[in-house]
Amino acid sequence: MKNITEQLKETIVEELYEIETSEGCHEDYIEDYETELDFYLSNVMSDTYETYVKEYCSENFDIAISNELTFKIIDDLIDKIKDNN
């Protein structure tokens, strides 16, 4: 497994943030949630998001990431969504 830089991790978080805060990237609707924040976090909080992040990194950056790094990326993404919405 390749170690990634902090800058690459931040790039991944930023790209995932752009995806998750775009209504068109969700299969459900913002109107189905009490708040926009709940909507934006809906995918990130799902049980399958860990797999999504690993596949995203593999397909877009040609890297395999550890479970620990996956959860760090998810935690950083949740914080970014909460801070900006």
Side-chain angles (χ1 to χ4, degrees), residues 7-8 14 21 43 48 73 84:
Q7 183 177 5
L8 179 55
E14 183 63 33
T21 56
N43 288 341
T48 59
I73 288 169
N84 291 291

Side-chain angles (χ1 to χ4, degrees), residues 13-81:
V13 170
E14 183 63 33
E15 287 185 12
L16 291 171
Y17 173 81
E18 293 301 321
I19 291 168
E20 297 308 330
T21 56
S22 171
E23 285 186 49
C25 292
H26 288 251
E27 292 181 6
D28 48 3
Y29 301 98
I30 200 165
E31 297 83 19
D32 296 336
Y33 294 86
E34 288 187 29
T35 67
E36 283 185 10
L37 179 60
D38 290 340
F39 172 73
Y40 295 141
L41 289 173
S42 63
N43 288 341
V44 179
M45 304 299 280
S46 75
D47 292 340
T48 59
Y49 203 71
E50 175 187 349
T51 302
Y52 174 77
V53 171
K54 288 182 175 194
E55 288 173 358
Y56 185 84
C57 289
S58 176
E59 292 171 8
N60 294 284
F61 296 96
D62 196 30
I63 57 172
I65 59 173
S66 67
N67 288 340
E68 181 181 342
L69 183 54
T70 302
F71 290 120
K72 178 65 178 146
I73 288 169
I74 292 171
D75 288 345
D76 288 356
L77 176 58
I78 288 170
D79 290 344
K80 184 170 181 69
I81 291 171

